[in-house]
């Protein structure tokens, strides 16, 4: 059975070039970058080259990029860095109610330590109003954390506008951006975004799971180490570098950066086709969010539990999700924050596209959703 993969926001297939880069490092250039012999020296040089490649895709300097194991680690580290930097200035944090759990959970933990956290709620389309951020800002605000692209709705949040607002207000707050769903899906650079801390992840762009990066502005120096030990990552994240994953990440960054405009144009057209096709051919389907980002849209089949529909589609070889893969079947805090009706919320489905998807696959999705409404009703589900 041919698999139609429409869950690219959850993870992506590893690109052949990225897999080859990892294999080469695992089997040929396998030295420890801290070793002094020629294999170690070569490995250290390659890590430096890979860091420069990731930095080029972000539009920053190589020494501003720190490798991590994933987006969750990057988010946690960024929040730790920001609150430590502002520890003498205040204990107020602003974030949004639709952030990834990797931001929300550290913020909840900080609340137990005496921090006050303001959670900005979105409108019905999943967008955060800049005016709400301005109203929430206080002299003791030390961190604003706002994602670039919501992983469940595809809504783009006003991160660059938030950066300009903080500057205009002469705020002490640092700005962190979880850009995991936006990196190499939208054109941006560190300068255009304006954030002090930016989190990215490899497995969303064709690299393997287990690698990511955190951009840290020079404004945050001196920094607090994430892990203490042998002094890797300029003593900020000790531990032997994951050289195969880093090599694959750099390869994916290079390819994605070169093809960014082409991919954006293609996915924008394909998403428009998807929206038109589903609206016309699936009775009762609700488009909850068209998604500003070119690769994500949120739909609902009210009356049809999303988990049942996801399994039904899977049996037909179609892979999509009911929301973030990190929820593992739990109710989505993003959809709850949007004040959707229970029927719409219970029927939510996320379609997330990749450059490999085709119109024919979208046609198959529309047919399968139509069949689901007919067969699941007939089965009394």
């Amino acid at each position: 059975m041919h698999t139609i993969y429409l869950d690219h926001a959850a993870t992506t297939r590893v690109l052949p070039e990225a897999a080859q880069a990892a294999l080469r490092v695992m089997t040929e250039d396998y030295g420890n970058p801290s070793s002094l012999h020629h294999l170690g020296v070569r490995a250290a040089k390659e890590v430096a080259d890979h860091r420069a490649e990731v930095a080029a895709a972000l539009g920053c300097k190589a020494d501003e990029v720190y490798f991590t194991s994933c987006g969750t680690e990057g988010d946690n580290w960024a929040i730790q860095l920001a609150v430590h930097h502002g520890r003498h200035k205040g204990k107020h944090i602003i974030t949004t109610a639709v952030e990834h759990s990797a931001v929300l959970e550290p913020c909840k933990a900080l609340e137990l330590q005496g921090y006050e956290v303001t959670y900005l709620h979105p409108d019905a389309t999943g967008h955060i109003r800049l005016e709400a951020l301005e109203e929430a800002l206080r002299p003791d605000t030390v961190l604003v954390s706002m994602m670039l692209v919501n992983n469940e709705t595809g809504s783009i949040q006003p991160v660059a506008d938030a950066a300009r607002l903080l500057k205009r207000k002469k705020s002490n707050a640092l700005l962190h951006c979880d850009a995991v769903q936006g990196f190499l899906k939208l054109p941006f650079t560190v300068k255009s975004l304006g954030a002090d801390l930016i989190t990215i992840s490899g497995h969303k762009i064709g690299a393997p799971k287990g690698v990511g990066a955190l951009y840290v502005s020079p404004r945050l120096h001196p920094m607090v180490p994430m892990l203490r030990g042998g002094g890797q990552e300029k003593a900020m994240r000790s531990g032997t570098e994951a050289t195969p994953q880093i090599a694959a990440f750099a390869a994916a960054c290079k390819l994605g950066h070169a093809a960014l405009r082409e991919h954006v144009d293609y996915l924008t057209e394909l998403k428009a086709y998807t929206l038109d096709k589903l609206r016309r051919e699936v009775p009762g389907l609700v488009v909850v969010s068209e998604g500003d980002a070119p690769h994500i849209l949120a739909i609902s089949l009210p009356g049809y539990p999303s988990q049942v529909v996801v399994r039904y589609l899977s049996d037909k070889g179609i892979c999509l999700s009911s929301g973030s893969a990190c929820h593992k079947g739990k109710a989505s805090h993003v959809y709850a924050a949007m004040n959707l009706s229970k029927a719409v919320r219970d029927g939510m489905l996320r379609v997330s596209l990749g450059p490999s998807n085709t119109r024919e696959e979208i046609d198959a999705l529309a047919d399968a959703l139509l069949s689901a409404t007919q067969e699941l009703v007939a089965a009394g589900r």
Side-chain angles (χ1 to χ4, degrees):
M1 178 173 58
H2 171 64
T3 295
I4 297 174
Y5 189 73
L6 299 169
D7 202 18
H8 288 87
T11 197
T12 57
R13 179 186 299 197
V14 175
L15 294 165
E17 295 87 348
Q20 290 164 10
L23 180 62
R24 176 184 55 76
V25 171
M26 287 189 285
T27 59
E28 298 176 22
D29 298 333
Y30 51 84
N32 186 321
S34 297
S35 297
L36 298 180
H37 51 65
H38 71 278
L39 277 177
V41 171
R42 186 192 308 169
K45 181 184 183 306
E46 288 196 356
V47 169
D49 291 343
H50 300 328
R51 194 185 310 277
E53 202 70 68
V54 176
L58 271 171
C60 66
K61 297 178 180 178
D63 62 3
E64 296 168 340
V65 172
Y66 296 82
F67 289 117
T68 65
S69 65
C70 60
T72 293
E73 181 189 318
D75 284 343
N76 275 257
W77 191 11
I79 291 168
Q80 289 178 28
L81 287 172
V83 297
H84 182 268
H85 182 81
R87 64 194 182 281
H88 301 308
K89 299 175 183 176
K91 301 189 78 171
H92 179 234
I93 296 169
I94 301 173
T95 188
T96 84
V98 294
E99 294 297 306
H100 192 279
S101 298
V103 167
L104 295 179
E105 291 302 319
C107 286
K108 290 177 185 176
L110 286 167
E111 286 182 288
L112 298 177
Q113 298 175 34
Y115 281 80
E116 184 179 349
V117 182
T118 299
Y119 298 91
L120 304 179
H121 284 258
D123 59 23
T125 65
H127 293 91
I128 301 296
R129 294 185 309 109
L130 191 66
E131 294 79 9
L133 171 60
E134 185 168 7
E135 291 167 6
L137 269 178
R138 303 184 337 201
D140 62 336
T141 305
V142 294
L143 168 65
V144 175
S145 185
M146 180 182 289
M147 67 193 339
L148 181 56
V149 175
N150 185 268
N151 52 309
E152 298 190 53
T153 65
S155 300
I156 297 175
Q157 304 301 355
V159 177
D161 290 337
R164 286 188 283 270
L165 173 65
L166 295 178
K167 187 174 182 180
R168 187 172 75 250
K169 292 287 186 177
K170 296 182 172 56
S171 173
N172 289 321
L174 294 171
L175 178 60
H176 165 240
C177 177
D178 177 338
V180 167
Q181 287 294 346
F183 181 55
L184 297 183
K185 307 290 174 65
L186 299 176
F188 76 86
T189 63
V190 163
K191 183 176 181 180
S192 68
L193 207 55
D196 301 291
L197 297 144
I198 301 173
T199 307
I200 59 176
S201 178
H203 77 104
K204 307 295 187 180
I205 63 164
K209 301 165 187 68
V211 66
L214 177 66
Y215 160 78
V216 181
S217 165
R219 181 181 175 190
L220 274 88
H221 292 283
M223 291 167 55
V224 180
M226 178 67 176
L227 295 171
R228 301 174 189 273
Q232 292 85 353
E233 295 296 295
K234 293 191 290 187
M236 292 297 106
R237 185 183 182 272
S238 291
T240 303
E241 296 90 341
T243 50
Q245 290 96 321
I246 289 171
F249 189 23
C253 285
K254 183 176 182 178
L255 290 167
H257 191 218
L260 177 59
R261 177 45 58 191
E262 176 187 346
H263 287 170
V264 168
D265 290 346
Y266 178 74
L267 290 174
T268 299
E269 185 277 330
L270 186 62
K271 190 175 76 169
Y273 179 84
T274 303
L275 287 164
D276 180 64
K277 185 79 175 178
L278 297 182
R279 280 175 166 141
R280 283 190 294 107
E281 299 195 6
V282 186
L285 181 139
V286 175
V287 175
V288 176
S289 173
E290 295 189 4
D292 311 301
H295 63 300
I296 300 175
L297 59 140
I299 60 175
S300 177
L301 284 176
Y304 301 88
S306 58
Q307 292 184 36
V308 174
V309 177
V310 168
R311 287 194 294 268
Y312 176 89
L313 294 174
S314 179
D315 289 342
K316 293 184 175 296
I318 301 174
C319 299
L320 48 69
S321 68
S322 56
S324 170
C326 298
H327 292 321
K328 295 183 179 178
K330 298 177 183 177
S332 164
H333 66 277
V334 173
Y335 301 147
M338 292 169 65
N339 291 318
L340 303 173
S341 70
K342 186 177 185 304
V344 170
R345 228 170 37 237
D346 290 347
M348 288 295 300
L349 300 168
R350 179 186 66 186
V351 180
S352 50
L353 306 167
S356 62
N357 290 131
T358 64
R359 287 191 173 199
E360 290 73 22
E361 291 179 329
I362 299 305
D363 294 343
L365 171 64
D367 291 343
L369 287 173
L370 178 59
S371 296
T373 63
Q374 297 168 342
E375 295 182 23
L376 294 180
V377 167
R381 300 287 181 87

